[in-house]
Structures are given as structure tokens and as C-alpha cells.
Amino acid sequence: MEKWKDRGYSVRENSPIYYTRDMDATAKWFEEVLGWYAGIDQRDEQGRGVYGCILPFPGEIKAMTMTPFNGFHLFFGEPSHQVVAFMQMDHVANLRDFVLKNGWQQVSELQHQHWGALECDVTTPDGGIIRFFQLD
């Protein structure tokens, strides 16, 4: 729970699908860079992950239905090199600072949008872009 509190940001309800060729490496990146929680729930005969969930909070909290699902469904497949998620959150500046503090440099500057949001993009190791935004 300390790790969750130290991030300084929270994600609102969402559930995009994320494809990756290396589920273990992708799960590790979400944990180390974004401070999320990863679980690979299904593996093939060779031990490669084929399905998992990435959550911005411990899975036990979701299991108790205390909060809506607001993470990623992770599937084995060809990664997409475009925006793969558009996620509403609180404290987007804290997310950006957290990502940079964890050594990940593929994050955009904060940008004010004409429709009333502050947003930034985080590019994943697979080349996908997660666009995080908060409403002003």
C-alpha cells in the first residue's frame, strides 16, 4: 500500500486492451515505471504469458469490488505503435514526475488541450502510447 500512496496520482475507470510479444517484460515495465501491479494469469505450453491484468492498485482491492476495473487487459499479440489507451486520471503532473523519477524518458511534456484537459503521453517499450489526461 505504501508503493500505491507514494505515486501521487490515481487512474479513473478504464479497461483498454494491450498487446505484447513479451508479457513478462511488459508487466515488469508497468511495475517499475508506472508503479502498477501486474498479474499474468494464463500461460501457454512454453510458459509464455498469454493473458494478464495490469492494475494501478493491488488486485486484492479489485477482488473485493471496492473499485471499478481501471487497468489493462494484457494479451499476447502484435504490439500497436499508436495510442493504445486514453486514460482519465487525477494529478497527471505527478504521474509524469513519477515516470521520470523511475528513469523512463519516453514521456511527453504536459500539454493543455483546447477541450479543457491537461495531458501527457508515455511511450511503452512495445512502442504503444498511453495518453493520460486530467480535466482542468
Side-chain angles (χ1 to χ4, degrees):
M1 293 302 287
E2 248 348 92
K3 180 173 103 173
W4 186 26
K5 185 181 85 176
D6 290 343
R7 291 186 321 212
Y9 71 88
S10 60
V11 177
R12 297 185 180 251
E13 187 172 357
N14 203 325
S15 58
I17 294 173
Y18 187 96
Y19 291 97
T20 182
R21 304 289 293 164
D22 187 341
M23 198 166 291
D24 290 303
T26 299
K28 184 177 178 183
W29 178 84
F30 271 93
E31 290 174 341
E32 292 178 353
V33 174
L34 295 179
W36 289 27
Y37 300 82
I40 299 172
D41 302 314
Q42 192 173 23
R43 294 183 179 274
D44 65 13
E45 300 79 33
Q46 290 79 36
R48 291 179 304 212
V50 294
Y51 176 74
C53 288
I54 306 290
L55 299 166
F57 50 82
E60 294 81 5
I61 292 175
K62 175 59 188 145
M64 294 186 300
T65 65
M66 294 173 63
T67 184
F69 186 89
N70 63 350
F72 284 84
H73 293 280
L74 196 64
F75 288 95
F76 179 79
E78 198 57 43
S80 181
H81 301 285
Q82 60 187 3
V83 174
V84 297
F86 191 61
M87 303 187 81
Q88 184 177 3
M89 61 177 313
D90 296 319
H91 310 292
V92 70
N94 290 352
L95 166 103
R96 185 177 186 282
D97 292 345
F98 187 82
V99 167
L100 290 169
K101 181 183 86 172
N102 288 330
W104 192 254
Q105 299 301 310
Q106 295 183 48
V107 58
S108 71
E109 296 293 329
L110 294 170
Q111 299 174 359
H112 289 277
Q113 298 300 327
H114 69 281
W115 51 275
L118 180 63
E119 65 182 36
C120 78
D121 293 347
V122 178
T123 302
T124 72
D126 292 314
I129 299 167
I130 304 171
R131 182 160 293 150
F132 293 97
F133 74 97
Q134 79 178 48
L135 296 175
D136 289 337

